[in-house]
Amino acid sequence: MASIAQQAFRAREWQRLSPSQGTKGERLFDWARLPLVQAGTVDGRHWLVVRRCLDDPHELAYYLVWAPADTPLPTMVQAIGARWHIEEDLQAGKALGLDHYEVRSYLGWYRHITLVLLAAAFLVDITVQSHRSASASQESAACPALIQLTTSEARHLLAHLFWSAPTSAPLLCHWSRFRRTHHYWAGYYHRRRRAKTG
């Protein structure tokens, strides 16, 4: 299959695109597409999209895509990358208890799901407020090497602040800043290495 993809595409048909933002920055790959034959004809709506890894050009992934004929490849790539956001949201929901329920009625299930989604909305609101205050204050200018607060980090902070001694609050906030700084520099070196290989 790898040799088929290498023979089917010319060098100019590959586009370097990012489907989504990863923990270390943009997730860059080379992408190309081929129209598929449906019922003996090419209808311009069914596509084989091929993703090639930058580090190992022989590592390929394939996606079957249905899209209108005038859909550009970057839009298809963004749609393919959207599944990672969905999976991240499901994992965050599971961490809040989305999959931990033992109920025998629809009403019990509905109450449980509603409370979990309310907790998720509360964490999202905390992160949005944190982003707004960081951009308005001088914190981002004083310490540019810091990723934004995530819902997972906010959940960890709240759990430790509520169930720990109050004297540990400054230590926990410092620990959070340390972790976010570490993630920033990990992403920085990852992007720099990718830039050298690209």
Side-chain angles (χ1 to χ4, degrees):
M1 198 78 165
S3 62
I4 294 174
Q6 289 168 355
Q7 293 171 9
F9 298 111
R10 294 185 292 272
R12 67 171 185 261
E13 293 176 326
W14 292 96
Q15 295 183 39
R16 187 155 295 175
L17 301 166
S18 171
S20 63
Q21 188 84 1
T23 57
K24 298 178 181 178
E26 292 288 336
R27 298 172 55 244
L28 289 170
F29 297 95
D30 287 335
W31 299 81
R33 66 178 174 177
L34 282 174
L36 290 180
V37 176
Q38 291 289 321
T41 60
V42 175
D43 60 3
R45 296 178 180 273
H46 295 84
W47 304 89
L48 175 67
V49 178
V50 182
R51 184 190 76 191
R52 184 173 66 184
C53 185
L54 298 182
D55 297 331
D56 182 8
H58 297 289
E59 184 181 331
L60 303 172
Y62 300 90
Y63 302 90
L64 291 176
V65 175
W66 185 93
D70 59 346
T71 306
L73 181 59
T75 303
M76 292 181 185
V77 169
Q78 290 300 315
I80 291 169
R83 67 182 273 261
W84 297 109
H85 297 296
I86 295 168
E87 289 181 9
E88 288 173 357
D89 291 342
L90 284 174
Q91 287 299 325
K94 287 179 180 180
L96 293 172
L98 189 65
D99 61 342
H100 300 302
Y101 59 88
E102 294 181 14
V103 295
R104 296 175 182 265
S105 68
Y106 171 77
L107 185 60
W109 173 85
Y110 183 80
R111 287 175 177 168
H112 175 80
I113 297 300
T114 302
L115 288 175
V116 170
L117 293 179
L118 182 63
F122 176 72
L123 291 175
V124 169
D125 184 61
I126 288 175
T127 58
V128 168
Q129 295 300 325
S130 171
H131 298 170
R132 286 182 184 162
S133 64
S135 61
S137 70
Q138 300 299 323
E139 177 186 342
S140 57
C143 184
L146 187 70
I147 66 168
Q148 294 181 338
L149 184 68
T150 62
T151 55
S152 176
E153 185 72 21
R155 183 176 59 83
H156 286 296
L157 277 171
L158 290 175
H160 284 87
L161 290 172
F162 286 152
W163 288 288
S164 303
T167 55
S168 64
L171 177 63
L172 288 169
C173 290
H174 179 72
W175 171 76
S176 172
R177 289 180 63 86
F178 166 78
R179 275 184 44 171
R180 290 157 60 197
T181 303
H182 173 74
H183 285 302
Y184 171 86
W185 285 113
Y188 169 79
Y189 287 113
H190 176 75
R191 289 187 299 273
R192 194 172 75 169
R193 184 177 63 85
R194 283 293 179 117
K196 287 181 180 177
T197 59

